[in-house]
Amino acid sequence: MRIGELSRRTGVSVPTIKFYVREGLLPAGRLTSPNQATYEETHVRRLRLIRALIDVGGLSVAAVREVIAAVDDPGRPVHDLLGEAAVRMVPRYGGEPAEDGRLSEARERVTELVRERDWRVFPGNPAAEALAVALAALGSVGHERFGEVLGAYADAAEQVARADLAYVAHHVAREELVESVAVGTVLGDALFAALRRLAQIDASDRVFGGKGEVFGGDGEGEEGK
Amino acid sequence: MRIGELSRRTGVSVPTIKFYVREGLLPAGRLTSPNQATYEETHVRRLRLIRALIDVGGLSVAAVREVIAAVDDPGRPVHDLLGEAAVRMVPRYGGEPAEDGRLSEARERVTELVRERDWRVFPGNPAAEALAVALAALGSVGHERFGEVLGAYADAAEQVARADLAYVAHHVAREELVESVAVGTVLGDALFAALRRLAQIDASDRVFGGKGEVFGGDGEGEEGK
């Protein structure tokens, strides 16, 4: 297909498609004349992947480039591919936590958690470090005791990870594995965050509501400001 | 305290502190002379909140400004405050999903889920819309069947939301409520995402590993590229 049809089918504008080609996210089309290229179904699929990671996952173009590189790298063992995709998907934290003492304490708490749960990961894993940074940040704003709910979070994470793996094992072909893990990880975060908001609003209504009112997106909350 | 001490205690540079004051994130210090201002403990606390939201939560300065506005708005009922903070924390999606048919189908699925679970939220709630967008995006990249694991995700989200509410009910004073919900929502997402990665790596090792090898952050995965 021509670039115009690729644009129509994916909802991505022609200049943006050209930008993704220049940035190395999308393979160039096959030239049929010096000024004309033709695109395949693989381009449609890849463009949808790029847009999902950017629009819904909130990834930067640079982060998408890394995911794409993992997707395009063939021939590694399944567990290795999965693990690597998961590690690449760890959010990068820009800042430094204010107090180093708090961070080393949080790292110990994470090591302890991994041991308690017999999770087969190294404590130096980037996800373990991300967890320690989040815990230390909670401590720095006065929520040291948030660590008390860590067990409930870890139970829920195990449940979600089992569902993720079951989905991958049943529905995903070997050659689509890394793409699926990348997509599932990024979009799964967005999915879970939205579900957590809904469940929070429900739980808050049950605990604090009591007026028979339902808080929601009916615009009333916004008008009240 | 002077601005230099505020900077030292929070690890935020003096120019950045001045930027936050100009941007309306941080109240100005009290002027003690035309060129000298003094800052209080509330400034330390507020700066830590700003940094946690930006560095760990990944929020933009504009998004932090909205959270701060909610935190500083007194006198609303508890459930209303909680609901609003939760709604403000829904990630904003930039793009349009490629196919509208897919999105309306996803919206129906979300309405159905909310009804099944008897969640006290309006279907038009921003979190419900965010969920529909994430589901539609998964569909657009060939993962229509990911909806099959939605139940497991929703169970986990309920579990996390119950833990969140229990924490709020036990450990948070009324005047700190919105701040706590804002922080807990943003940092809780980061916490859960990191735990999900760890649990995924563990689950992947158990399902696909089998070589007695442990995938982790020991650098070997990186060297292999």
Side-chain angles (χ1 to χ4, degrees), chain A residues 79 118 120 143 153 164 167 184-185 189 196-197 202 204-206, chain B residues 79 118 120 143 153 164 167 184-185 189 196-197 202 204-206 225:
Chain A
H79 172 58
D118 191 26
R120 300 182 182 176
H143 293 287
Y153 270 67
D164 289 336
Y167 175 82
T185 300
D189 279 354
R196 179 174 170 236
R197 298 294 175 285
D202 175 67
S204 160
D205 185 57
R206 288 171 199 276
Chain B
H79 172 59
D118 191 25
R120 299 182 183 176
H143 293 287
Y153 270 67
D164 288 337
Y167 175 82
T185 300
D189 279 353
R196 181 176 169 232
R197 300 294 175 283
D202 175 66
S204 161
D205 186 58
R206 287 172 199 275
K225 277 195 281 299

PDB file of all heavy atoms in Angstrom, chain A residues 79 118 120 143 153 164 167 184-185 189 196-197 202 204-206, chain B residues 79 118 120 143 153 164 167 184-185 189 196-197 202 204-206 225:
ATOM      1  N   HIS A  79      12.732 -17.290  28.283  1.00  0.00           N
ATOM      2  CA  HIS A  79      12.756 -16.622  29.576  1.00  0.00           C
ATOM      3  C   HIS A  79      13.645 -15.385  29.542  1.00  0.00           C
ATOM      4  O   HIS A  79      13.340 -14.357  30.137  1.00  0.00           O
ATOM      5  CB  HIS A  79      13.225 -17.574  30.671  1.00  0.00           C
ATOM      6  CG  HIS A  79      13.436 -16.878  31.981  1.00  0.00           C
ATOM      7  ND1 HIS A  79      12.422 -16.189  32.612  1.00  0.00           N
ATOM      8  CD2 HIS A  79      14.536 -16.722  32.758  1.00  0.00           C
ATOM      9  CE1 HIS A  79      12.893 -15.662  33.728  1.00  0.00           C
ATOM     10  NE2 HIS A  79      14.168 -15.964  33.831  1.00  0.00           N
ATOM     11  N   ASP A 118      10.377 -15.630  48.061  1.00  0.00           N
ATOM     12  CA  ASP A 118      11.131 -16.575  47.246  1.00  0.00           C
ATOM     13  C   ASP A 118      11.039 -16.212  45.760  1.00  0.00           C
ATOM     14  O   ASP A 118      10.913 -17.082  44.897  1.00  0.00           O
ATOM     15  CB  ASP A 118      10.616 -18.010  47.501  1.00  0.00           C
ATOM     16  CG  ASP A 118      11.534 -19.053  46.876  1.00  0.00           C
ATOM     17  OD1 ASP A 118      12.728 -18.758  46.699  1.00  0.00           O
ATOM     18  OD2 ASP A 118      11.048 -20.152  46.540  1.00  0.00           O
ATOM     19  N   ARG A 120      12.449 -15.304  42.300  1.00  0.00           N
ATOM     20  CA  ARG A 120      13.718 -15.634  41.645  1.00  0.00           C
ATOM     21  C   ARG A 120      14.258 -14.451  40.852  1.00  0.00           C
ATOM     22  O   ARG A 120      14.295 -14.462  39.628  1.00  0.00           O
ATOM     23  CB  ARG A 120      13.509 -16.826  40.725  1.00  0.00           C
ATOM     24  CG  ARG A 120      13.023 -18.061  41.471  1.00  0.00           C
ATOM     25  CD  ARG A 120      12.870 -19.211  40.532  1.00  0.00           C
ATOM     26  NE  ARG A 120      12.363 -20.383  41.216  1.00  0.00           N
ATOM     27  CZ  ARG A 120      12.061 -21.513  40.595  1.00  0.00           C
ATOM     28  NH1 ARG A 120      12.234 -21.615  39.277  1.00  0.00           N
ATOM     29  NH2 ARG A 120      11.599 -22.550  41.268  1.00  0.00           N
ATOM     30  N   HIS A 143       5.320   9.109  54.638  1.00  0.00           N
ATOM     31  CA  HIS A 143       4.545   7.876  54.610  1.00  0.00           C
ATOM     32  C   HIS A 143       5.434   6.648  54.803  1.00  0.00           C
ATOM     33  O   HIS A 143       5.371   5.693  54.029  1.00  0.00           O
ATOM     34  CB  HIS A 143       3.738   7.783  53.315  1.00  0.00           C
ATOM     35  CG  HIS A 143       2.672   8.819  53.226  1.00  0.00           C
ATOM     36  ND1 HIS A 143       1.526   8.765  53.983  1.00  0.00           N
ATOM     37  CD2 HIS A 143       2.589   9.972  52.524  1.00  0.00           C
ATOM     38  CE1 HIS A 143       0.781   9.830  53.732  1.00  0.00           C
ATOM     39  NE2 HIS A 143       1.407  10.575  52.850  1.00  0.00           N
ATOM     40  N   TYR A 153       0.114  -5.268  48.301  1.00  0.00           N
ATOM     41  CA  TYR A 153       0.524  -4.914  46.942  1.00  0.00           C
ATOM     42  C   TYR A 153       1.243  -6.095  46.269  1.00  0.00           C
ATOM     43  O   TYR A 153       1.012  -6.388  45.096  1.00  0.00           O
ATOM     44  CB  TYR A 153       1.469  -3.711  46.971  1.00  0.00           C
ATOM     45  CG  TYR A 153       0.785  -2.370  46.888  1.00  0.00           C
ATOM     46  CD1 TYR A 153      -0.023  -1.908  47.921  1.00  0.00           C
ATOM     47  CD2 TYR A 153       0.950  -1.555  45.779  1.00  0.00           C
ATOM     48  CE1 TYR A 153      -0.642  -0.668  47.846  1.00  0.00           C
ATOM     49  CE2 TYR A 153       0.328  -0.318  45.691  1.00  0.00           C
ATOM     50  CZ  TYR A 153      -0.461   0.120  46.728  1.00  0.00           C
ATOM     51  OH  TYR A 153      -1.072   1.337  46.641  1.00  0.00           O
ATOM     52  N   ASP A 164      -0.733 -12.510  33.590  1.00  0.00           N
ATOM     53  CA  ASP A 164       0.086 -12.108  32.432  1.00  0.00           C
ATOM     54  C   ASP A 164       0.743 -13.322  31.796  1.00  0.00           C
ATOM     55  O   ASP A 164       0.714 -13.509  30.580  1.00  0.00           O
ATOM     56  CB  ASP A 164       1.197 -11.136  32.872  1.00  0.00           C
ATOM     57  CG  ASP A 164       0.667  -9.755  33.258  1.00  0.00           C
ATOM     58  OD1 ASP A 164      -0.419  -9.384  32.782  1.00  0.00           O
ATOM     59  OD2 ASP A 164       1.355  -9.064  34.027  1.00  0.00           O
ATOM     60  N   TYR A 167      -1.632 -15.654  30.060  1.00  0.00           N
ATOM     61  CA  TYR A 167      -2.031 -15.096  28.767  1.00  0.00           C
ATOM     62  C   TYR A 167      -0.934 -15.337  27.726  1.00  0.00           C
ATOM     63  O   TYR A 167      -1.206 -15.810  26.620  1.00  0.00           O
ATOM     64  CB  TYR A 167      -2.313 -13.592  28.899  1.00  0.00           C
ATOM     65  CG  TYR A 167      -2.615 -12.953  27.577  1.00  0.00           C
ATOM     66  CD1 TYR A 167      -3.878 -13.024  27.013  1.00  0.00           C
ATOM     67  CD2 TYR A 167      -1.612 -12.302  26.855  1.00  0.00           C
ATOM     68  CE1 TYR A 167      -4.145 -12.474  25.777  1.00  0.00           C
ATOM     69  CE2 TYR A 167      -1.865 -11.749  25.613  1.00  0.00           C
ATOM     70  CZ  TYR A 167      -3.134 -11.833  25.079  1.00  0.00           C
ATOM     71  OH  TYR A 167      -3.393 -11.299  23.847  1.00  0.00           O
ATOM     72  N   GLY A 184       2.115  -5.708  26.691  1.00  0.00           N
ATOM     73  CA  GLY A 184       1.370  -6.116  27.878  1.00  0.00           C
ATOM     74  C   GLY A 184       1.881  -5.433  29.125  1.00  0.00           C
ATOM     75  O   GLY A 184       1.107  -5.101  30.024  1.00  0.00           O
ATOM     76  N   THR A 185       3.166  -5.198  29.183  1.00  0.00           N
ATOM     77  CA  THR A 185       3.730  -4.553  30.361  1.00  0.00           C
ATOM     78  C   THR A 185       3.307  -3.095  30.416  1.00  0.00           C
ATOM     79  O   THR A 185       2.771  -2.625  31.419  1.00  0.00           O
ATOM     80  CB  THR A 185       5.263  -4.677  30.357  1.00  0.00           C
ATOM     81  OG1 THR A 185       5.594  -6.066  30.355  1.00  0.00           O
ATOM     82  CG2 THR A 185       5.871  -4.025  31.569  1.00  0.00           C
ATOM     83  N   ASP A 189       0.156  -1.810  32.764  1.00  0.00           N
ATOM     84  CA  ASP A 189       0.290  -0.788  33.820  1.00  0.00           C
ATOM     85  C   ASP A 189      -0.855   0.216  33.743  1.00  0.00           C
ATOM     86  O   ASP A 189      -1.446   0.580  34.765  1.00  0.00           O
ATOM     87  CB  ASP A 189       1.608  -0.018  33.664  1.00  0.00           C
ATOM     88  CG  ASP A 189       2.794  -0.764  34.246  1.00  0.00           C
ATOM     89  OD1 ASP A 189       2.590  -1.826  34.880  1.00  0.00           O
ATOM     90  OD2 ASP A 189       3.927  -0.291  34.077  1.00  0.00           O
ATOM     91  N   ARG A 196      -7.375   0.440  39.457  1.00  0.00           N
ATOM     92  CA  ARG A 196      -7.120   0.824  40.848  1.00  0.00           C
ATOM     93  C   ARG A 196      -7.888   2.100  41.200  1.00  0.00           C
ATOM     94  O   ARG A 196      -8.476   2.203  42.275  1.00  0.00           O
ATOM     95  CB  ARG A 196      -5.612   1.030  41.042  1.00  0.00           C
ATOM     96  CG  ARG A 196      -5.208   1.448  42.440  1.00  0.00           C
ATOM     97  CD  ARG A 196      -3.689   1.505  42.606  1.00  0.00           C
ATOM     98  NE  ARG A 196      -3.329   2.126  43.857  1.00  0.00           N
ATOM     99  CZ  ARG A 196      -2.535   3.193  43.985  1.00  0.00           C
ATOM    100  NH1 ARG A 196      -1.984   3.739  42.932  1.00  0.00           N
ATOM    101  NH2 ARG A 196      -2.283   3.699  45.171  1.00  0.00           N
ATOM    102  N   ARG A 197      -7.947   3.089  40.290  1.00  0.00           N
ATOM    103  CA  ARG A 197      -8.722   4.305  40.531  1.00  0.00           C
ATOM    104  C   ARG A 197     -10.199   3.972  40.756  1.00  0.00           C
ATOM    105  O   ARG A 197     -10.823   4.491  41.671  1.00  0.00           O
ATOM    106  CB  ARG A 197      -8.672   5.245  39.334  1.00  0.00           C
ATOM    107  CG  ARG A 197      -7.368   5.779  38.931  1.00  0.00           C
ATOM    108  CD  ARG A 197      -6.716   6.697  39.903  1.00  0.00           C
ATOM    109  NE  ARG A 197      -5.405   6.993  39.363  1.00  0.00           N
ATOM    110  CZ  ARG A 197      -4.377   6.138  39.384  1.00  0.00           C
ATOM    111  NH1 ARG A 197      -4.484   4.975  39.977  1.00  0.00           N
ATOM    112  NH2 ARG A 197      -3.232   6.463  38.834  1.00  0.00           N
ATOM    113  N   ASP A 202     -14.731   3.319  44.528  1.00  0.00           N
ATOM    114  CA  ASP A 202     -15.737   2.438  45.136  1.00  0.00           C
ATOM    115  C   ASP A 202     -15.461   2.235  46.620  1.00  0.00           C
ATOM    116  O   ASP A 202     -16.349   2.387  47.462  1.00  0.00           O
ATOM    117  CB  ASP A 202     -15.740   1.090  44.396  1.00  0.00           C
ATOM    118  CG  ASP A 202     -16.667   0.089  45.057  1.00  0.00           C
ATOM    119  OD1 ASP A 202     -17.883   0.310  45.024  1.00  0.00           O
ATOM    120  OD2 ASP A 202     -16.169  -0.899  45.631  1.00  0.00           O
ATOM    121  N   SER A 204     -13.691   4.051  48.644  1.00  0.00           N
ATOM    122  CA  SER A 204     -13.861   5.313  49.369  1.00  0.00           C
ATOM    123  C   SER A 204     -15.339   5.593  49.624  1.00  0.00           C
ATOM    124  O   SER A 204     -15.728   6.031  50.708  1.00  0.00           O
ATOM    125  CB  SER A 204     -13.230   6.446  48.559  1.00  0.00           C
ATOM    126  OG  SER A 204     -13.740   7.688  48.968  1.00  0.00           O
ATOM    127  N   ASP A 205     -16.162   5.318  48.626  1.00  0.00           N
ATOM    128  CA  ASP A 205     -17.604   5.528  48.795  1.00  0.00           C
ATOM    129  C   ASP A 205     -18.142   4.638  49.913  1.00  0.00           C
ATOM    130  O   ASP A 205     -18.945   5.059  50.732  1.00  0.00           O
ATOM    131  CB  ASP A 205     -18.329   5.229  47.480  1.00  0.00           C
ATOM    132  CG  ASP A 205     -19.821   5.561  47.578  1.00  0.00           C
ATOM    133  OD1 ASP A 205     -20.135   6.721  47.884  1.00  0.00           O
ATOM    134  OD2 ASP A 205     -20.642   4.667  47.367  1.00  0.00           O
ATOM    135  N   ARG A 206     -17.652   3.377  49.953  1.00  0.00           N
ATOM    136  CA  ARG A 206     -18.134   2.453  50.974  1.00  0.00           C
ATOM    137  C   ARG A 206     -17.656   2.854  52.365  1.00  0.00           C
ATOM    138  O   ARG A 206     -18.385   2.719  53.351  1.00  0.00           O
ATOM    139  CB  ARG A 206     -17.704   1.024  50.648  1.00  0.00           C
ATOM    140  CG  ARG A 206     -18.491   0.462  49.474  1.00  0.00           C
ATOM    141  CD  ARG A 206     -17.977  -0.858  48.942  1.00  0.00           C
ATOM    142  NE  ARG A 206     -18.472  -1.075  47.593  1.00  0.00           N
ATOM    143  CZ  ARG A 206     -19.659  -1.597  47.301  1.00  0.00           C
ATOM    144  NH1 ARG A 206     -20.469  -1.984  48.248  1.00  0.00           N
ATOM    145  NH2 ARG A 206     -20.033  -1.724  46.050  1.00  0.00           N
TER     146      ARG A 206
ATOM    147  N   HIS B  79     -15.105  11.901  51.265  1.00  0.00           N
ATOM    148  CA  HIS B  79     -15.218  11.051  50.073  1.00  0.00           C
ATOM    149  C   HIS B  79     -15.059  11.865  48.804  1.00  0.00           C
ATOM    150  O   HIS B  79     -14.441  11.433  47.834  1.00  0.00           O
ATOM    151  CB  HIS B  79     -16.556  10.312  50.060  1.00  0.00           C
ATOM    152  CG  HIS B  79     -16.792   9.591  48.779  1.00  0.00           C
ATOM    153  ND1 HIS B  79     -15.937   8.615  48.326  1.00  0.00           N
ATOM    154  CD2 HIS B  79     -17.750   9.720  47.838  1.00  0.00           C
ATOM    155  CE1 HIS B  79     -16.377   8.167  47.161  1.00  0.00           C
ATOM    156  NE2 HIS B  79     -17.473   8.826  46.848  1.00  0.00           N
ATOM    157  N   ASP B 118     -20.337  -4.365  40.889  1.00  0.00           N
ATOM    158  CA  ASP B 118     -21.096  -3.451  41.721  1.00  0.00           C
ATOM    159  C   ASP B 118     -20.223  -2.310  42.237  1.00  0.00           C
ATOM    160  O   ASP B 118     -20.305  -1.915  43.395  1.00  0.00           O
ATOM    161  CB  ASP B 118     -21.741  -4.234  42.887  1.00  0.00           C
ATOM    162  CG  ASP B 118     -22.754  -3.387  43.643  1.00  0.00           C
ATOM    163  OD1 ASP B 118     -23.306  -2.450  43.048  1.00  0.00           O
ATOM    164  OD2 ASP B 118     -22.972  -3.653  44.839  1.00  0.00           O
ATOM    165  N   ARG B 120     -19.227   1.381  42.743  1.00  0.00           N
ATOM    166  CA  ARG B 120     -20.037   2.594  42.828  1.00  0.00           C
ATOM    167  C   ARG B 120     -19.362   3.754  42.105  1.00  0.00           C
ATOM    168  O   ARG B 120     -18.914   4.716  42.722  1.00  0.00           O
ATOM    169  CB  ARG B 120     -20.262   2.944  44.296  1.00  0.00           C
ATOM    170  CG  ARG B 120     -21.002   1.846  45.043  1.00  0.00           C
ATOM    171  CD  ARG B 120     -21.241   2.259  46.470  1.00  0.00           C
ATOM    172  NE  ARG B 120     -21.879   1.209  47.235  1.00  0.00           N
ATOM    173  CZ  ARG B 120     -22.117   1.303  48.532  1.00  0.00           C
ATOM    174  NH1 ARG B 120     -21.769   2.393  49.194  1.00  0.00           N
ATOM    175  NH2 ARG B 120     -22.696   0.305  49.185  1.00  0.00           N
ATOM    176  N   HIS B 143      -4.231  -7.801  20.618  1.00  0.00           N
ATOM    177  CA  HIS B 143      -4.448  -8.496  21.888  1.00  0.00           C
ATOM    178  C   HIS B 143      -5.885  -8.329  22.373  1.00  0.00           C
ATOM    179  O   HIS B 143      -6.122  -7.949  23.515  1.00  0.00           O
ATOM    180  CB  HIS B 143      -3.446  -8.023  22.940  1.00  0.00           C
ATOM    181  CG  HIS B 143      -2.050  -8.411  22.606  1.00  0.00           C
ATOM    182  ND1 HIS B 143      -1.584  -9.699  22.707  1.00  0.00           N
ATOM    183  CD2 HIS B 143      -1.023  -7.693  22.109  1.00  0.00           C
ATOM    184  CE1 HIS B 143      -0.327  -9.754  22.321  1.00  0.00           C
ATOM    185  NE2 HIS B 143       0.048  -8.551  21.952  1.00  0.00           N
ATOM    186  N   TYR B 153      -7.044  -8.913  36.894  1.00  0.00           N
ATOM    187  CA  TYR B 153      -6.563  -7.555  37.159  1.00  0.00           C
ATOM    188  C   TYR B 153      -7.511  -6.825  38.120  1.00  0.00           C
ATOM    189  O   TYR B 153      -7.066  -6.132  39.025  1.00  0.00           O
ATOM    190  CB  TYR B 153      -6.465  -6.771  35.842  1.00  0.00           C
ATOM    191  CG  TYR B 153      -5.137  -6.866  35.136  1.00  0.00           C
ATOM    192  CD1 TYR B 153      -4.706  -8.069  34.586  1.00  0.00           C
ATOM    193  CD2 TYR B 153      -4.311  -5.756  35.000  1.00  0.00           C
ATOM    194  CE1 TYR B 153      -3.499  -8.155  33.929  1.00  0.00           C
ATOM    195  CE2 TYR B 153      -3.095  -5.829  34.340  1.00  0.00           C
ATOM    196  CZ  TYR B 153      -2.697  -7.021  33.802  1.00  0.00           C
ATOM    197  OH  TYR B 153      -1.494  -7.101  33.163  1.00  0.00           O
ATOM    198  N   ASP B 164      -5.100   0.448  50.259  1.00  0.00           N
ATOM    199  CA  ASP B 164      -4.938   1.909  50.213  1.00  0.00           C
ATOM    200  C   ASP B 164      -5.894   2.579  51.199  1.00  0.00           C
ATOM    201  O   ASP B 164      -5.507   3.445  51.972  1.00  0.00           O
ATOM    202  CB  ASP B 164      -5.275   2.439  48.805  1.00  0.00           C
ATOM    203  CG  ASP B 164      -4.214   2.092  47.764  1.00  0.00           C
ATOM    204  OD1 ASP B 164      -3.065   1.846  48.141  1.00  0.00           O
ATOM    205  OD2 ASP B 164      -4.567   2.064  46.564  1.00  0.00           O
ATOM    206  N   TYR B 167      -5.021   1.982  54.819  1.00  0.00           N
ATOM    207  CA  TYR B 167      -3.890   2.839  55.201  1.00  0.00           C
ATOM    208  C   TYR B 167      -4.377   4.259  55.484  1.00  0.00           C
ATOM    209  O   TYR B 167      -4.058   4.844  56.519  1.00  0.00           O
ATOM    210  CB  TYR B 167      -2.822   2.845  54.094  1.00  0.00           C
ATOM    211  CG  TYR B 167      -1.708   3.806  54.391  1.00  0.00           C
ATOM    212  CD1 TYR B 167      -0.665   3.454  55.242  1.00  0.00           C
ATOM    213  CD2 TYR B 167      -1.714   5.100  53.868  1.00  0.00           C
ATOM    214  CE1 TYR B 167       0.344   4.352  55.548  1.00  0.00           C
ATOM    215  CE2 TYR B 167      -0.715   6.010  54.162  1.00  0.00           C
ATOM    216  CZ  TYR B 167       0.317   5.624  55.005  1.00  0.00           C
ATOM    217  OH  TYR B 167       1.302   6.522  55.323  1.00  0.00           O
ATOM    218  N   GLY B 184      -0.107   8.770  47.433  1.00  0.00           N
ATOM    219  CA  GLY B 184      -0.315   7.322  47.434  1.00  0.00           C
ATOM    220  C   GLY B 184      -0.733   6.817  46.065  1.00  0.00           C
ATOM    221  O   GLY B 184      -0.345   5.721  45.659  1.00  0.00           O
ATOM    222  N   THR B 185      -1.500   7.622  45.352  1.00  0.00           N
ATOM    223  CA  THR B 185      -1.947   7.189  44.038  1.00  0.00           C
ATOM    224  C   THR B 185      -0.782   7.168  43.057  1.00  0.00           C
ATOM    225  O   THR B 185      -0.530   6.165  42.389  1.00  0.00           O
ATOM    226  CB  THR B 185      -3.071   8.116  43.529  1.00  0.00           C
ATOM    227  OG1 THR B 185      -4.153   8.037  44.459  1.00  0.00           O
ATOM    228  CG2 THR B 185      -3.569   7.680  42.173  1.00  0.00           C
ATOM    229  N   ASP B 189       1.224   3.675  42.136  1.00  0.00           N
ATOM    230  CA  ASP B 189       1.343   3.148  40.769  1.00  0.00           C
ATOM    231  C   ASP B 189       2.776   2.691  40.496  1.00  0.00           C
ATOM    232  O   ASP B 189       2.997   1.623  39.920  1.00  0.00           O
ATOM    233  CB  ASP B 189       0.986   4.222  39.727  1.00  0.00           C
ATOM    234  CG  ASP B 189      -0.518   4.378  39.534  1.00  0.00           C
ATOM    235  OD1 ASP B 189      -1.279   3.572  40.093  1.00  0.00           O
ATOM    236  OD2 ASP B 189      -0.911   5.307  38.808  1.00  0.00           O
ATOM    237  N   ARG B 196       5.086  -5.660  39.990  1.00  0.00           N
ATOM    238  CA  ARG B 196       4.597  -6.489  38.889  1.00  0.00           C
ATOM    239  C   ARG B 196       5.777  -7.003  38.037  1.00  0.00           C
ATOM    240  O   ARG B 196       5.802  -8.161  37.641  1.00  0.00           O
ATOM    241  CB  ARG B 196       3.622  -5.665  38.030  1.00  0.00           C
ATOM    242  CG  ARG B 196       3.034  -6.424  36.863  1.00  0.00           C
ATOM    243  CD  ARG B 196       2.003  -5.591  36.115  1.00  0.00           C
ATOM    244  NE  ARG B 196       1.652  -6.220  34.863  1.00  0.00           N
ATOM    245  CZ  ARG B 196       1.677  -5.624  33.682  1.00  0.00           C
ATOM    246  NH1 ARG B 196       2.019  -4.359  33.585  1.00  0.00           N
ATOM    247  NH2 ARG B 196       1.350  -6.281  32.592  1.00  0.00           N
ATOM    248  N   ARG B 197       6.788  -6.130  37.768  1.00  0.00           N
ATOM    249  CA  ARG B 197       7.973  -6.573  37.024  1.00  0.00           C
ATOM    250  C   ARG B 197       8.678  -7.716  37.745  1.00  0.00           C
ATOM    251  O   ARG B 197       9.057  -8.702  37.136  1.00  0.00           O
ATOM    252  CB  ARG B 197       9.000  -5.456  36.874  1.00  0.00           C
ATOM    253  CG  ARG B 197       8.585  -4.230  36.176  1.00  0.00           C
ATOM    254  CD  ARG B 197       8.288  -4.401  34.728  1.00  0.00           C
ATOM    255  NE  ARG B 197       7.796  -3.119  34.268  1.00  0.00           N
ATOM    256  CZ  ARG B 197       6.573  -2.664  34.500  1.00  0.00           C
ATOM    257  NH1 ARG B 197       5.688  -3.395  35.126  1.00  0.00           N
ATOM    258  NH2 ARG B 197       6.217  -1.470  34.068  1.00  0.00           N
ATOM    259  N   ASP B 202       9.870 -13.524  38.119  1.00  0.00           N
ATOM    260  CA  ASP B 202       9.769 -14.769  38.889  1.00  0.00           C
ATOM    261  C   ASP B 202       8.860 -15.776  38.178  1.00  0.00           C
ATOM    262  O   ASP B 202       9.224 -16.939  37.993  1.00  0.00           O
ATOM    263  CB  ASP B 202       9.231 -14.459  40.288  1.00  0.00           C
ATOM    264  CG  ASP B 202       8.985 -15.725  41.086  1.00  0.00           C
ATOM    265  OD1 ASP B 202       9.970 -16.419  41.407  1.00  0.00           O
ATOM    266  OD2 ASP B 202       7.810 -16.038  41.353  1.00  0.00           O
ATOM    267  N   SER B 204       7.977 -15.909  35.057  1.00  0.00           N
ATOM    268  CA  SER B 204       8.586 -16.325  33.799  1.00  0.00           C
ATOM    269  C   SER B 204       9.664 -17.377  34.040  1.00  0.00           C
ATOM    270  O   SER B 204       9.778 -18.361  33.311  1.00  0.00           O
ATOM    271  CB  SER B 204       9.171 -15.099  33.093  1.00  0.00           C
ATOM    272  OG  SER B 204      10.118 -15.495  32.134  1.00  0.00           O
ATOM    273  N   ASP B 205      10.458 -17.181  35.085  1.00  0.00           N
ATOM    274  CA  ASP B 205      11.495 -18.161  35.418  1.00  0.00           C
ATOM    275  C   ASP B 205      10.867 -19.513  35.740  1.00  0.00           C
ATOM    276  O   ASP B 205      11.351 -20.554  35.323  1.00  0.00           O
ATOM    277  CB  ASP B 205      12.317 -17.668  36.610  1.00  0.00           C
ATOM    278  CG  ASP B 205      13.507 -18.593  36.896  1.00  0.00           C
ATOM    279  OD1 ASP B 205      14.320 -18.783  35.984  1.00  0.00           O
ATOM    280  OD2 ASP B 205      13.578 -19.127  38.013  1.00  0.00           O
ATOM    281  N   ARG B 206       9.749 -19.478  36.479  1.00  0.00           N
ATOM    282  CA  ARG B 206       9.102 -20.735  36.865  1.00  0.00           C
ATOM    283  C   ARG B 206       8.462 -21.422  35.655  1.00  0.00           C
ATOM    284  O   ARG B 206       8.460 -22.653  35.568  1.00  0.00           O
ATOM    285  CB  ARG B 206       8.046 -20.478  37.947  1.00  0.00           C
ATOM    286  CG  ARG B 206       8.704 -20.157  39.291  1.00  0.00           C
ATOM    287  CD  ARG B 206       7.743 -19.698  40.363  1.00  0.00           C
ATOM    288  NE  ARG B 206       8.477 -18.999  41.403  1.00  0.00           N
ATOM    289  CZ  ARG B 206       9.072 -19.607  42.426  1.00  0.00           C
ATOM    290  NH1 ARG B 206       9.009 -20.901  42.570  1.00  0.00           N
ATOM    291  NH2 ARG B 206       9.752 -18.904  43.317  1.00  0.00           N
ATOM    292  N   LYS B 225      24.389  -8.430  24.440  1.00  0.00           N
ATOM    293  CA  LYS B 225      23.859  -7.754  23.236  1.00  0.00           C
ATOM    294  C   LYS B 225      24.967  -7.319  22.300  1.00  0.00           C
ATOM    295  O   LYS B 225      25.970  -6.789  22.728  1.00  0.00           O
ATOM    296  CB  LYS B 225      23.043  -6.541  23.663  1.00  0.00           C
ATOM    297  CG  LYS B 225      21.627  -6.961  24.030  1.00  0.00           C
ATOM    298  CD  LYS B 225      20.717  -5.766  24.104  1.00  0.00           C
ATOM    299  CE  LYS B 225      20.881  -5.034  25.394  1.00  0.00           C
ATOM    300  NZ  LYS B 225      20.585  -5.795  26.564  1.00  0.00           N
TER     301      LYS B 225
END
